[in-house]
Amino acid sequence: MRVFITGASGFIGSHLARLLVQEGCEVFALMRPESDPWRIRDLLPVLQVVEGDLLQPGERWPERLASIRPEACFHFAWYAEPGKFLSSPLNLQYLSASLALATRLANAGCRKLVIAGTFSEYDQNLGYLSEDSAIRPNTLYGATKAALYQSLALWAPAAGVELLWPRIFGVYGPGEHEKRFVPAVMVAALRGEATRLTPGEQMRDYLHVADVAGAVWAAAQSGLSGPVNIGSGKPVAIRDLATRIGAILGRPELIRLGDLPYREGDPMFVCANTQLLKSTTGWAPRFDLEAGLRDTIDWWREHLGIQ
């Protein structure tokens, strides 16, 4: 299969690009010349790199896209800097650029479009979230993702495009940004530093990034269209997640629960209903939480040179 992918140098996108190569796809990856491909450096010899910036359609990359004529596209590029992405105006630029990309793909003969959505599109006060749960984003990030889906869902049938919209819940694993929650706790403990947390009773859904990539691929192969939740379906308390990391590293005293107050508006329970994914594709995760955390800790030990 000839595949076009955006975001191949990112956290989730890099694992997806690796899986696509392993599955025998001919992978064309849109990458900015200035981006650091450290997550996929070993893949570069087998990737067809298309130099260009999604936000700069005046460059030459749209011409290259037209000549590639991909059978499918996995669009995973988006602004994701921790602490900034939820409210950044760049979300609006990615919304506009993504609409333009979809049109170019359809004109290039691409008939399958897989775009990374997010659980942030949902009303997060509903607890277990299924694909038909109410859409009520409370961040600009969630709102632009929801707007993109709603627009493309109406456009796709007339354009002859099959749209798959994986709504991704909590993700962790090798290659994640150091400032995000799971790696922040791990890295601090590896360095002998304390992590100050809220009481940690919030329940969340976390899935290893390799399993996220596997679930997206399974959904793409299954004939599913529209939204599909990508998560573990198993809620875990933030306090239990953090204390488990501390226990694995033998530094439980570094997990300081209750030092911080809860953030205003932070929902206490968010978890994916994954029945559609599992019943349609037969997908099952490779990692349970314990194995996934140990795998991630091993990666950070090697990445930081800390034993």
Side-chain angles (χ1 to χ4, degrees), residues 11 172-176 182-183 186 190 208-209 245 287 289-303:
F11 174 42
Y172 71 97
E176 190 173 7
V182 170
M186 289 179 176
L190 284 166
H208 190 283
V209 65
I245 293 170
F287 293 94
L289 187 60
E290 179 79 12
L293 292 176
R294 289 183 180 277
D295 175 72
T296 307
I297 287 170
D298 288 345
W299 184 88
W300 277 108
R301 286 188 187 277
E302 182 176 354
H303 186 69

Side-chain angles (χ1 to χ4, degrees), residues 28-297:
F28 295 82
L30 180 66
M31 295 177 60
R32 291 174 297 163
E34 68 274 16
S35 66
D36 184 353
W38 64 272
R39 293 183 179 93
I40 55 168
R41 197 175 304 279
D42 63 312
L43 281 185
L44 293 179
V46 294
L47 287 179
Q48 303 284 337
V49 175
V50 178
E51 288 194 353
D53 187 336
L54 184 70
L55 301 184
Q56 300 294 331
E59 297 177 350
R60 296 289 301 276
W61 68 263
E63 298 176 18
R64 180 82 187 282
L65 175 61
S67 68
I68 293 169
R69 298 190 64 80
E71 299 167 68
C73 173
F74 292 80
H75 176 33
F76 276 65
W78 206 273
Y79 179 66
E81 186 174 354
K84 297 182 179 181
F85 76 97
L86 290 176
S87 59
S88 172
L90 282 172
N91 284 294
L92 297 173
Q93 294 187 41
Y94 274 92
L95 168 60
S96 176
S98 299
L99 291 169
L101 174 65
T103 302
R104 290 190 176 91
L105 286 161
N107 291 339
C110 182
R111 291 296 171 256
K112 190 172 191 67
L113 185 53
V114 183
I115 300 181
T118 171
F119 74 93
S120 297
E121 299 169 55
Y122 290 122
D123 181 346
Q124 294 176 51
N125 294 313
L126 298 177
Y128 276 105
L129 299 168
S130 59
E131 289 80 3
D132 58 359
S133 292
I135 300 300
R136 191 182 177 186
N138 59 8
T139 62
L140 185 56
Y141 170 68
T144 50
K145 288 283 191 174
L148 180 59
Y149 171 69
Q150 292 169 339
S151 300
L152 292 182
L154 294 172
W155 162 86
V161 173
E162 180 183 338
L163 176 65
L164 176 65
W165 192 264
R167 287 196 176 121
I168 300 171
F169 282 67
V171 188
Y172 71 97
E176 190 173 7
H177 195 294
E178 186 174 331
K179 291 184 179 180
R180 291 179 63 83
F181 177 71
V182 170
V185 176
M186 289 179 176
V187 171
L190 284 166
R191 291 173 173 163
E193 300 167 357
T195 298
R196 301 175 64 224
L197 300 170
T198 70
E201 295 174 336
Q202 311 97 309
M203 305 294 291
R204 295 291 184 267
D205 185 320
Y206 274 95
L207 186 64
H208 190 283
V209 65
D211 286 326
V212 171
V216 170
W217 175 246
Q221 293 293 100
S222 72
L224 273 173
S225 61
V228 57
N229 287 341
I230 305 294
S232 71
K234 297 178 179 179
V236 59
I238 290 297
R239 64 181 300 133
D240 294 338
L241 182 62
T243 55
R244 190 174 300 193
I245 293 170
I248 292 171
L249 288 169
R251 300 301 304 271
E253 76 282 1
L254 296 177
I255 308 302
R256 302 272 297 276
L257 296 168
D259 273 16
L260 301 176
Y262 290 115
R263 289 179 300 176
E264 185 177 353
D266 195 16
M268 294 304 292
F269 188 102
V270 177
C271 188
N273 179 327
T274 58
Q275 182 178 358
L276 176 62
L277 172 68
K278 293 179 178 178
S279 64
T280 305
T281 69
W283 169 87
R286 290 168 44 208
F287 293 94
D288 63 18
L289 187 60
E290 179 79 12
L293 292 176
R294 289 183 180 277
D295 175 72
T296 307
I297 287 170

